[in-house]
């Protein structure tokens, strides 16, 4: 294995892979930071850059071996020993890279505000297993094609499999979930991850056997490999790697407007309660009553009066007044928001108008669409329409929306 560890190809590929991984993790100002599980799945997003590089490097190693040292080594135990040493040499940086990457996103998320304690070992295991499987496939392709072009074929094949898998055109179990937003309120499905790991072994084992056994045994191994690929196609037709879990116990603010959220969001809940109290006061000035109790939005809470305390696409983004105001002026417990048919446009316009009015009153800066209505109807006419829309939203009655809104 010492000879393999001194090879330039392996370390060149490792360097490129590390750069690709770091680039993916730092894109968009590391929006995942604070949500460790989202960070772990961002490592999975990097597959489309990392795995083709690894496959291409492995193909070069397979090509050099099949035209070099393997011409002197007969099939059997000696070939197995050589492949084991080569595999172990490449596995060392691969395993270390995924371990360090996962540890980094967990620690970086722990030191952020807010910080969701949702890290799990499962993505790290399937990411590492997928990379090792790709190495085996790339090495085999390099040996079969006996040319440096094997690296190109291996890289393109890997890209195609990952893209088609994520598109749903094929199902292999290789592609990670690749989250593009917060993983708040979800947890790993251990059975699904374990099944993927078992499938990777089931595919990798016959490929390795094909590399080291005599030709007379290969038909049975090809049949085994085909069966393993078919199993993947049938098993991973849907991605069930994560499931929604009940929210952790909430702590609630003591302000007149109560906001309940998990303990790690306590500070945001207090700021949201102040904003919600101010928004409710604006509505009371119109003669409209708003809810006095809210919960933080999490999956499974769509039917409750909830507030978005975090941006699903950027966890550390500051809490915005308009986001809190939207939850106050249009309570999400209203059945119209979750009914089988979407509300009419006038309903959405009413929500946007009342939210705009509230933000305008609290900030002193006229916002749209209230600004346009103010220009068209004047202060008294606009206030009357805003009041009517606000009452309709609070009572969950679309028949009370001003009829003129359907023409907006």
């Amino acid at each position: 294995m010492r000879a393999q560890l001194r090879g330039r190809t392996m370390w060149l590929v490792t360097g490129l892979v590390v750069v690709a991984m770091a680039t993916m993790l730092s894109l968009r100002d590391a929006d995942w930071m604070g949500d460790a599980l989202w960070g772990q799945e961002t490592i999975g997003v990097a597959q489309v850059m990392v795995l083709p590089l690894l496959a291409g490097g492995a193909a070069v190693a397979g090509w050099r071996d099949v035209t070099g040292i393997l011409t002197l080594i007969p099939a059997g135990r000696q070939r197995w020993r050589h492949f084991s040493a080569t595999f172990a040499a490449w596995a060392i940086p691969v395993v270390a890279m995924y371990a360090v990457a996962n540890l980094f996103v967990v620690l970086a998320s722990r030191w952020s505000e807010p910080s969701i304690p949702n890290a799990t070992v499962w993505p790290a295991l399937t990411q590492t297993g997928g990379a090792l499987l790709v190495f085996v496939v790339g090495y085999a392709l390099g040996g079969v094609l006996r040319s440096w072009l094997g690296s190109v074929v291996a890289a393109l094949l890997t890209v195609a499999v990952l893209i088609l898998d994520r598109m749903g055109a094929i199902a292999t179990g290789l592609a990670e979930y690749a989250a593009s937003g917060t993983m708040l309120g979800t947890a790993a499905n251990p059975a699904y991850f374990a099944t993927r790991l078992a499938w990777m072994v089931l595919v990798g084992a016959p490929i390795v056997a094909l590399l080291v056994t005599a030709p007379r045994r290969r038909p049975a191994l090809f049949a085994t490999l085909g069966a393993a690929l078919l199993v993947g196609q049938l098993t991973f037709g849907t991605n069930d790697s994560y499931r929604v879990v009940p929210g952790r116990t909430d702590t609630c603010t003591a302000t007149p407007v109560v906001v309940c959220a998990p303990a790690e969001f306590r500070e945001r809940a207090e700021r949201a309660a102040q904003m919600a109290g101010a928004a409710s006061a604006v509505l009371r000035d119109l003669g409209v009553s708003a809810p006095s109790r809210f919960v933080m939005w999490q999956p499974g809470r769509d039917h409750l009066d909830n507030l978005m305390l975090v941006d699903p696409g950027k966890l550390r983004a500051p809490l915005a007044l308009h986001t809190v105001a939207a939850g106050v002026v249009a309570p999400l417990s209203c059945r119209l928001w979750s009914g089988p048919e979407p509300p009419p446009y006038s309903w959405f316009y009413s929500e946007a108008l009342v939210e705009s009015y509230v933000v305008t009153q609290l900030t002193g800066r006229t916002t749209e669409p209230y600004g346009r209505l103010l220009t068209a109807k004047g202060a008294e006419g606009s206030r009357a329409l805003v009041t009517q829309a606000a009452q309709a939203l609070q009572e969950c009655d679309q028949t009370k929306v001003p009829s003129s809104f359907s023409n907006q």
Side-chain angles (χ1 to χ4, degrees):
M1 188 171 71
R2 292 180 180 177
Q4 285 88 344
L5 286 172
R6 289 195 294 266
R8 294 180 180 179
T9 301
M10 183 186 72
W11 294 112
L12 174 61
V13 171
T14 299
L16 292 174
V17 165
V18 169
V19 170
M21 185 80 75
T23 299
M24 181 58 70
L25 287 175
S26 62
L27 287 177
R28 296 184 63 205
D29 195 29
D31 293 344
W32 50 265
M33 199 173 291
D35 188 335
L37 189 53
W38 181 8
Q40 289 182 283
E41 282 300 336
T42 302
I43 297 172
V45 176
Q47 278 183 323
V48 74
M49 295 189 296
V50 169
L51 297 190
L53 290 170
L54 182 59
V60 171
W63 161 52
R64 289 179 174 174
D65 281 355
V66 80
T67 57
I69 191 171
L70 292 184
T71 61
L72 306 175
I73 301 176
R77 183 173 299 178
Q78 288 181 310
R79 284 205 173 194
W80 167 248
R81 287 177 179 173
H82 174 76
F83 177 80
S84 297
T86 303
F87 180 80
W90 282 76
I92 288 172
V94 168
V95 172
M97 178 189 64
Y98 277 103
V100 170
N102 276 270
L103 181 62
F104 167 73
V105 299
V106 171
L107 292 178
S109 296
R110 181 171 296 179
W111 293 332
S112 298
E113 193 288 314
S115 177
I116 306 174
N118 58 355
T120 174
V121 71
W122 286 110
L125 293 177
T126 51
Q127 289 160 8
T128 305
L132 296 178
L133 175 60
V134 165
F135 168 80
V136 171
V137 173
Y139 185 91
L141 284 173
V144 170
L145 297 178
R146 295 175 176 267
S147 168
W148 65 269
L149 286 173
S151 62
V152 178
V153 173
L156 293 178
L157 177 64
T158 302
V159 170
V161 168
L162 290 174
I163 292 177
L164 292 174
D165 199 340
R166 289 180 180 175
M167 289 174 57
I170 61 174
T172 65
L174 182 63
E176 289 289 324
Y177 176 67
S180 58
T182 181
M183 298 292 287
L184 176 68
T186 61
N189 180 357
Y192 185 85
F193 280 94
T195 301
R196 285 179 58 199
L197 285 172
W199 174 83
M200 292 172 187
V201 173
L202 191 62
V203 171
I207 295 176
V208 172
L210 285 167
L211 294 171
V212 301
T213 58
R216 67 178 183 277
R217 298 181 179 178
R218 290 175 182 171
L221 292 173
F222 276 116
T224 302
L225 177 59
L229 294 175
L230 179 60
V231 166
Q233 184 68 26
L234 298 175
T235 304
F236 305 111
T238 58
N239 193 328
D240 300 321
S241 50
Y242 293 97
R243 63 180 187 275
V244 176
V245 296
R248 294 181 304 283
T249 302
D250 285 347
T251 61
C252 299
T253 64
T255 56
V257 174
V258 177
V259 179
C260 300
E264 58 268 22
F265 296 98
R266 174 73 185 190
E267 184 177 335
R268 287 191 173 224
E270 290 176 348
R271 294 201 300 271
Q274 295 173 358
M275 294 178 182
S280 295
V282 173
L283 293 180
R284 283 198 301 273
D285 185 57
L286 294 174
V288 178
S289 297
S292 59
R293 186 181 184 87
F294 297 89
V295 297
M296 175 184 172
W297 176 86
Q298 294 185 61
R301 290 184 168 184
D302 298 302
H303 62 292
L304 303 176
D305 288 331
N306 61 74
L307 299 178
M308 296 289 295
L309 300 191
V310 294
D311 183 340
K314 189 171 184 178
L315 202 71
R316 291 174 296 145
L319 184 63
L321 173 61
H322 70 86
T323 302
V324 175
V328 174
V329 305
L332 292 173
S333 59
C334 174
R335 64 186 182 279
L336 294 177
W337 294 115
S338 56
E341 297 292 334
Y345 174 78
S346 59
W347 186 257
F348 291 98
Y349 179 78
S350 295
E351 187 276 332
L353 175 65
V354 179
E355 175 195 327
S356 173
Y357 174 81
V358 168
V359 172
T360 296
Q361 296 301 309
L362 293 178
T363 63
R365 297 189 299 271
T366 303
T367 60
E368 302 297 342
Y370 176 66
R372 292 195 302 271
L373 185 66
L374 189 63
T375 301
K377 300 291 186 180
E380 292 186 9
S382 297
R383 181 183 175 91
L385 289 172
V386 168
T387 301
Q388 189 176 348
Q391 196 68 51
L393 290 167
Q394 295 297 329
E395 296 180 6
C396 191
D397 188 349
Q398 69 185 56
T399 64
K400 292 187 176 182
V401 171
S403 58
S404 60
F405 284 7
S406 60
N407 300 318
Q408 296 293 327

